Amino acid sequence: MKITSVQWSRVSIPLLTPFKTALRTANAAEDIIVRLVTDTGEVGFGEAPPTGVITGDTAEAVCGALAHHLAPCLLGRDVEEFETLTRDVQKAMVHNSSAKAAVDMALWDLYGKRFGIPVFRMLGAARTKLTTDITISVNAPEEMARDAEKAVNRGFDCLKVKVGVNPSLDIERLSAIRAAVPASVVLRIDANQAWTPREAVRMLNSMQDKGLDIELVEQPVKGADLEGLRYVTEHSPVPVLADEAVFSPEDALKILQLRAADLINIKLMKCGGITGALKIATLAELYGVECMIGCMLEGRVAVNAAAHLACACSVITKVDLDGPMLAASDPVSGGCRCEGKDLVMTEEPGLGVYAVEGLEPLGELRV
Ligand code: MG
C-alpha cells in the first residue's frame, strides 16, 4: 500500500455558541483536513486545527508544512514502513506539531486499514467508550451559569470552566455556576496561563474556602514558567494539570522530573500525533502521574483519533474531547459515535473515518 497523493483542504464547522477563553474567541472550527491517498484506493484521514495562540500553527503554516516538508517525505512510500514513516514525519521539520499530528493520525489510519483492524484494538484497548466533559466559555457570570445549566440539561456531569479573563470576576463566575447546577456536577477550571503563581494560589484557596469544590485547575500560569507551575502545585489545595507547559514527550519528562504538576494534558496537536502521545502516556505512567486527553477546537477526525489512543491508555483518566459536542453540525462520516457525553468506539478498520463533507481543496502533491 503506497502513498501516491497527499491532499489538504479546509473545512469550516460552525459552533453552537462562540468559544471564549483567556486567549481567544472563535465562532467556528476552521480546520485543515489531510487525505493520504494510496495505490490501493484506501485513504487515510487527518485533521489539524490552526490554533495560533497555543501551538503557533496558523492555517497557512500547516499548509506550508504539508507542501514543503511532510508530503515530500511520504510520497511513494509503503505504509508497511510505518515505524520509520512516523519517525520521519517528526524529523521532517521543527515545530508545527499540528501538521505533524494530522499526518501521523492519517498514517495510523492507513496502517489499521492495511491490516483490517481498528487502531484502538491494535493498541490493545481495554475500553471502548469514553465520557467527556464539556467547555463553558468565559463570559459574564449569569451567562456562564445559564450555559452550565444548559450543558447539565444535555446530560453532561463534568464541566470545564474557562476562567482568567478579568480574574477579579473568576470567583463570582464559579459561584454562579456552582449555585446553578446540582452538587454532584464536577467543576474543573482552565485559566489558560492567565494568573501569576501567587495570584493562582490565592484564588484557588479562596475558591475552596467558598466551597466551590474545584476538581482541578488547568495551566494556571504561563506555559514557560515551570518554577511558577511547581510553586502552584506545591501550595494549591486544587490539583494542577499542565497543558500549555507540555507539548513534546521531552517537555513531559521535564515536568515529571520537576514534579511541577499533578497531572498532564495530552493533546495530539501539541505532541505531533498518536506516536508522540503514546510516549507521553508511557512516561507519565512510569512517574505515577495521571493524564487528561484533550483537544483544540477540533472536528471528529482528530477527536476520534484521540479517542482511539485514550481507550488504550489507562493512565488517561480524564477526558476533554468535547470538540464535536460544541459544534452545530458534523461533516465527518465514520469513526466513533458521539452519544450525549459519550464517545463510543466502532469496529471499522484504522480510525474508521471514510469521508468528510464540505471540503475546500487547498493543495495536493502526488507522485
Ligand atoms: Mg487548556
Side-chain angles (χ1 to χ4, degrees):
M1 186 189 274
K2 287 201 169 126
I3 299 167
T4 53
S5 162
V6 179
Q7 304 167 357
W8 53 99
S9 315
R10 191 194 321 270
V11 69
S12 179
I13 309 170
L15 301 178
L16 288 168
T17 49
F19 183 83
K20 290 190 199 173
T21 76
L23 298 171
R24 61 170 171 160
T25 297
N27 295 305
E30 303 276 354
D31 294 355
I32 305 296
I33 298 290
V34 173
R35 296 173 81 245
L36 304 184
V37 183
T38 64
D39 57 357
T40 61
E42 290 288 3
V43 178
F45 283 87
E47 177 177 9
T51 316
V53 291
I54 294 175
T55 59
D57 305 334
T58 62
E60 293 74 11
V62 169
C63 295
L66 289 163
H68 302 298
H69 297 277
L70 304 180
C73 102
L74 298 171
L75 285 172
R77 292 180 66 181
D78 199 309
V79 173
E80 288 183 34
E81 295 175 47
F82 184 72
E83 201 262 346
T84 44
L85 264 174
T86 51
R87 193 179 293 265
D88 290 348
V89 165
Q90 302 302 322
K91 287 196 305 200
M93 64 184 297
V94 298
H95 304 307
N96 215 318
S97 49
S98 309
K100 289 173 188 167
V103 168
D104 180 83
M105 73 179 73
L107 287 170
W108 279 88
D109 187 21
L110 281 180
Y111 195 70
K113 284 169 174 164
R114 165 69 184 83
F115 293 102
I117 181 168
V119 168
F120 74 99
R121 296 280 179 215
M122 265 162 54
L123 294 172
R127 48 186 172 170
T128 57
K129 189 180 91 171
L130 301 168
T131 300
T132 181
D133 62 16
I134 190 160
T135 301
I136 304 298
S137 283
V138 61
N139 280 301
E142 326 67 79
E143 189 172 350
M144 291 178 76
R146 275 198 302 275
D147 287 346
E149 244 179 315
K150 267 189 232 165
V152 170
N153 290 337
R154 283 176 71 190
F156 291 92
D157 52 18
C158 179
L159 308 179
K160 171 161 147 176
V161 182
K162 293 288 189 179
V163 295
V165 175
N166 314 109
S168 58
L169 272 182
D170 281 338
I171 297 213
E172 210 183 310
R173 291 180 171 113
L174 287 162
S175 303
I177 291 175
R178 191 36 99 201
V181 301
S184 59
V185 170
V186 174
L187 297 185
R188 46 182 69 153
I189 60 176
D190 188 354
N192 287 109
Q193 319 177 64
W195 298 330
T196 66
R198 292 165 70 97
E199 189 178 22
V201 171
R202 202 168 57 237
M203 302 271 271
L204 294 163
N205 273 319
S206 145
M207 284 172 194
Q208 297 309 67
D209 288 348
K210 289 192 158 56
L212 294 177
D213 194 15
I214 305 300
E215 179 209 25
L216 61 86
V217 59
E218 195 168 326
Q219 199 63 46
V221 301
K222 292 258 176 292
D225 183 8
L226 296 192
E227 284 187 14
L229 191 65
R230 183 162 70 171
Y231 174 85
V232 182
T233 301
E234 282 170 355
H235 295 90
S236 158
V238 177
V240 174
L241 170 76
D243 184 9
E244 285 92 332
V246 179
F247 273 57
S248 63
E250 291 82 354
D251 294 339
L253 184 58
K254 206 181 300 168
I255 294 268
L256 291 163
Q257 288 173 331
L258 288 173
R259 301 257 164 220
D262 299 296
L263 300 145
I264 288 179
N265 192 343
I266 303 176
K267 292 179 179 166
L268 301 186
M269 296 306 141
K270 296 186 298 176
C271 64
I274 293 173
T275 304
L278 281 168
K279 294 188 172 123
I280 298 178
T282 304
L283 285 169
E285 195 169 352
L286 289 173
Y287 279 82
V289 165
E290 293 180 7
C291 298
M292 172 184 276
I293 183 77
C295 63
M296 307 292 180
L297 264 185
E298 289 163 29
R300 209 161 45 76
V301 174
V303 161
N304 170 60
H308 274 263
L309 165 90
C311 280
C313 297
S314 52
V315 74
I316 296 176
T317 55
K318 321 251 174 225
V319 180
D320 175 30
L321 294 179
D322 61 349
M325 282 71 170
L326 300 171
S329 59
D330 182 3
V332 181
S333 300
C336 67
R337 291 193 309 272
C338 293
E339 298 177 353
K341 60 183 188 294
D342 297 330
L343 297 112
V344 182
M345 306 313 290
T346 55
E347 297 291 341
E348 300 144 316
L351 296 174
V353 168
Y354 56 86
V356 182
E357 267 174 41
L359 293 181
E360 176 199 333
L362 297 174
E364 176 179 12
L365 239 62
R366 52 170 63 224
V367 283

